[in-house]
Amino acid sequence: ILLPIIGNAAEHYTAITVAARDKMDLSLGVAAGSSCQMGLLVTPFTVLVGWAYGVEMTLDFHSFQLAVLFLSVFMTTTILSNGQSNWLEGVMLIVTYLIVSLIYFFEGSGKSHSLATLD
């Protein structure tokens, strides 16, 4: 959760700055490009670093993680489809991010504590 925020701080600042100047197309492009960069470069790199350190890290997503992924893609597509945004959409995105963060924080690390099993 912290890696994307810290890793793309400059891009987040740029997106906020150009949005304040009423250039929403550029702001949305920077934000979407930043997310693609994290998904296509940083995540596989993190798995490779985990292998180098002997830590088991895979891209094997469980059912809850896939549901969160599809929900995030759907929300992003819905918000970016009209090329403009308002404060309510921003608040919805922040609240959704916080809820998912809290769920992953309290999920637990063992197989029996994970949301990966649907028992």
Side-chain angles (χ1 to χ4, degrees):
I1 292 173
L2 293 177
L3 184 64
I5 293 173
I6 295 170
N8 292 336
E11 291 167 342
H12 295 305
Y13 177 74
T14 302
I16 292 170
T17 303
V18 295
R21 294 182 185 153
D22 204 22
K23 297 180 180 178
M24 284 303 292
D25 289 339
L26 180 58
S27 176
L28 294 174
V30 168
S34 175
S35 298
C36 289
Q37 175 187 2
M38 291 304 295
L40 296 174
L41 175 68
V42 176
T43 304
F45 179 72
T46 306
V47 171
L48 294 175
V49 169
W51 286 347
Y53 281 106
V55 177
E56 182 180 344
M57 298 181 73
T58 65
L59 294 178
D60 180 23
F61 297 118
H62 304 293
S63 56
F64 177 73
Q65 294 167 339
L66 285 174
V68 169
L69 179 66
F70 287 132
L71 176 68
S72 65
V73 169
F74 175 73
M75 286 183 63
T76 304
T77 302
T78 304
I79 289 175
L80 293 179
S81 65
N82 60 0
Q84 57 187 0
S85 181
N86 57 31
W87 66 271
L88 183 60
E89 289 176 340
V91 169
M92 287 189 319
L93 288 173
I94 291 172
V95 168
T96 304
Y97 188 81
L98 290 175
I99 290 171
V100 170
S101 301
L102 286 173
I103 289 172
Y104 277 116
F105 181 75
F106 289 112
E107 177 184 13
S109 59
K111 187 72 171 175
S112 63
H113 296 94
S114 177
L115 293 172
T117 58
L118 298 175
D119 295 335

